Amino acid sequence: LGVLLADAGAGAASTEALTAALRLRPDYPEALTVLAQAQAAAGETDMAMALLQRAEAAAPQFTPALTTLGGLLMAKGRYLEAGQRFAMALHLEPGSAQAAYNVANALKALGRQAEAVAYYDKALDLAPGYVDALVNRANALREIERLDEAVETYRRALSLAPRDARLHLNLGQILRDRGDAEAARAALARAGRCYEAALGDRREWIGGLIRNFESVLERQDPRAIEPASEELLQHLNAIEGETWL
């Protein structure tokens, strides 16, 4: 009943029902996990983790508990422990693209970028349209300076989500790292237009930045283009920090 109430969004009633269920069966992993998710949503992370550890001890192969606990461990910066839970979840559900993606994220956070790329590839084999896996794959490739592959990966992501401003922005940054200044400027301009379309009350300001940048490009003066590109990139990065994180 508590699980059904949680699915229906009845938070207080769900918590009461789950607590009652746990009085009758303290090691009920599904009730422990759903109650932990409610605690985590309420900001009670330590309580949530304690409940999930109880679920894990009672049912080591219950993947929802492993995955939820892994997510909380990631948020606390305990990447190795998170990766262990995600790896077990993937072992139990080898056809899960989400599980492979979670393992990749933990490896990426540990600085093991090449290994992370392999797990992003596994996630993408299972779910070729997984945009977040493409984004993180590209970022991991960028960190180990495999820039051509990073560019190709971002372009794959953009073929699936052409209006996603952060993809154009990140592609522009990688192209600039690679030394492809003209393509980088074009990508940054597209990113700005996407932000302009999405930001509503800030549209006029972003539009002014884009018009200024495009007018500088038209003059084809490298001495003016570079600082204009840097200024636009700084503004877009600031907006992405507010909009996407």
Side-chain angles (χ1 to χ4, degrees):
L1 175 60
V3 175
L4 292 174
L5 288 168
D7 289 343
S14 170
T15 297
E16 184 177 340
L18 290 166
T19 302
L22 289 169
R23 281 197 293 269
L24 296 172
R25 183 182 163 190
D27 62 348
Y28 184 21
E30 189 171 6
L32 288 164
T33 300
V34 175
L35 186 56
Q37 290 167 343
Q39 293 291 329
E44 298 292 340
T45 305
D46 291 340
M47 176 66 75
M49 291 182 66
L51 291 165
L52 291 165
Q53 286 163 349
R54 283 173 57 189
E56 182 183 30
Q61 296 187 341
F62 187 59
T63 56
L66 292 168
T67 300
T68 306
L69 181 55
L72 293 178
L73 288 164
M74 286 288 288
K76 285 184 170 289
R78 294 162 61 178
Y79 305 128
L80 181 60
E81 295 168 83
Q84 291 168 344
R85 270 67 177 194
F86 292 148
M88 177 58 74
L90 180 59
H91 173 73
L92 294 167
E93 297 184 3
S96 169
Q98 179 69 56
Y101 173 76
N102 289 339
V103 173
N105 286 344
L107 290 167
K108 184 175 182 297
L110 287 165
R112 295 159 60 180
Q113 309 302 335
E115 293 171 79
V117 169
Y119 278 94
Y120 289 128
D121 287 342
K122 181 174 179 62
L124 290 162
D125 286 342
L126 294 165
Y130 200 158
V131 173
D132 285 343
L134 287 166
V135 170
N136 286 2
R137 181 184 194 271
N139 290 338
L141 288 165
R142 182 186 184 189
E143 290 188 32
I144 53 177
E145 299 185 354
R146 290 163 56 179
L147 299 183
D148 290 346
E149 293 172 79
V151 167
E152 179 188 356
T153 302
Y154 260 116
R155 286 179 170 153
R156 283 176 60 192
L158 279 165
S159 73
L160 298 166
R163 296 183 183 277
D164 191 328
R166 75 181 162 151
L167 301 184
H168 291 289
L169 173 59
N170 290 352
L171 175 60
Q173 292 174 307
I174 293 174
L175 288 166
R176 196 176 69 160
D177 290 348
R178 196 175 68 168
D180 193 345
E182 192 61 38
R185 292 166 194 144
L188 292 175
R190 285 192 294 272
R193 285 191 289 272
C194 289
Y195 282 119
E196 182 184 5
L199 287 173
D201 58 351
R202 301 178 70 178
R203 185 174 301 153
E204 185 175 346
W205 175 63
I206 296 296
L209 290 174
I210 296 303
R211 287 189 295 274
N212 177 66
F213 183 63
E214 290 177 338
S215 70
V216 172
L217 289 180
E218 288 174 6
R219 295 199 297 271
Q220 298 185 354
D221 180 355
R223 292 172 299 178
I225 289 172
E226 186 58 33
S229 175
E230 185 62 36
E231 180 185 9
L232 179 62
L233 183 58
Q234 288 174 359
H235 284 299
L236 295 180
N237 271 324
I239 294 166
E240 189 194 357
E242 297 169 9
T243 308
W244 299 105
L245 295 182

